[in-house]
Amino acid sequence: MGNIRSVSVTKLTEAIKEMCIEANYDLTDDMKASLKNSIDTEKSPIGQKVLGQLQENLKIAKEEMIPICQDTGMAVVFLEVGQDVHFEDGSVEDAVNEGVRQGYVEGYLRKSVVKDPLIRENTKDNTPAVLHYQIVPGDRVKITVAPKGFGSENMSRVFMLKPADGIEGVKNAIITAVKDAGPNACPPMVVGVGVGGTFEKCALMAKKALTRAVNEHSEIPYVAEMEKEVLQKINKSGIGPAGLGGTTTALAVNINTYPTHIAGLPVAVNICCHVNRHSIREI
């Protein structure tokens, strides 16, 4: 039996507080590089101008410590917990929400969460977060904080395809979702896709796919090919930066897959705007 490592939940609170602020003020290096590169490859003058303005916006946000976008999102937190970790000093869920509360209040981030989906009274501290757990081997805890704005979240789709729809059906579903989203998802977007599993599993995979670096492809050869092909097709759609036309509609298509049932082919498309915020740490 491996040694059990004790981790105080206060470490989670501390890390998540910092990560909420970090993710909202500054982009990950892969996103920055991709946006910068897109200015050189963009064919349309207006598209280039918009991409230039986005770069300027990023610079100001970082220098002046203000959010990249006023919609600072609902905090989505993925915890990959090593099975040899023992949490102490309180509840994990409470600690995560406390981290979100401190991050959003102290970071002057917009509070966008309502307590009840229909009564709609603001919780005033952006809690609760949406929390996903995974138990993995080892004694580390990997935390991913991904604040999700709702301009792009509202454009997400689940397609319950038939097995006979095959790979072409999957490609068409992704392109349909992106075209229907148009300018509403604040392009250039990152497109997260989940294929397989069940109704809820494919949606979760699509969300998680958004946290993969935009310069990394799937390890499965045919999936990597599909990512490249669908990205090309999306960028030929003409939607362009900010939906004003151009050749940079998406920066990446990240596809995750999972085994599924003989009678089904679930596909989820979770779109993220050009900031695609996330922060990853290990404790």
Side-chain angles (χ1 to χ4, degrees), residues 200-228:
E200 85 285 4
K201 175 69 176 172
C202 70
L204 190 51
M205 285 193 292
K207 175 65 91 306
K208 190 84 193 282
L210 291 172
T211 66
R212 189 208 305 166
V214 290
N215 49 10
E216 282 176 20
H217 281 292
S218 166
E219 291 166 2
I220 304 164
Y222 89 86
V223 179
E225 279 311 307
M226 185 161 50
E227 289 174 339
K228 292 173 197 163

Side-chain angles (χ1 to χ4, degrees), residues 24-100:
N24 274 296
Y25 286 7
D26 194 14
L27 285 192
T28 51
D29 291 342
D30 59 295
M31 282 299 295
K32 279 192 264 201
S34 185
L35 272 170
K36 203 167 181 183
N37 181 40
S38 69
I39 297 180
D40 302 331
T41 56
E42 174 56 58
K43 303 279 192 287
S44 136
I46 190 145
Q48 284 172 359
K49 197 170 178 190
V50 170
L51 291 167
Q53 287 170 341
L54 294 180
Q55 288 283 30
E56 183 67 11
N57 182 49
L58 282 178
K59 196 164 158 275
I60 294 167
K62 190 175 183 184
E63 284 170 8
E64 302 196 9
M65 295 293 283
I66 49 176
I68 305 163
C69 170
Q70 86 283 358
D71 180 355
T72 53
M74 187 169 190
V76 177
V77 178
F78 293 95
L79 287 185
E80 289 176 40
V81 182
Q83 62 194 27
D84 297 330
V85 169
H86 168 68
F87 284 114
E88 52 192 17
D89 302 327
S91 144
V92 169
E93 195 166 335
D94 290 349
V96 167
N97 284 324
E98 183 57 22
V100 171

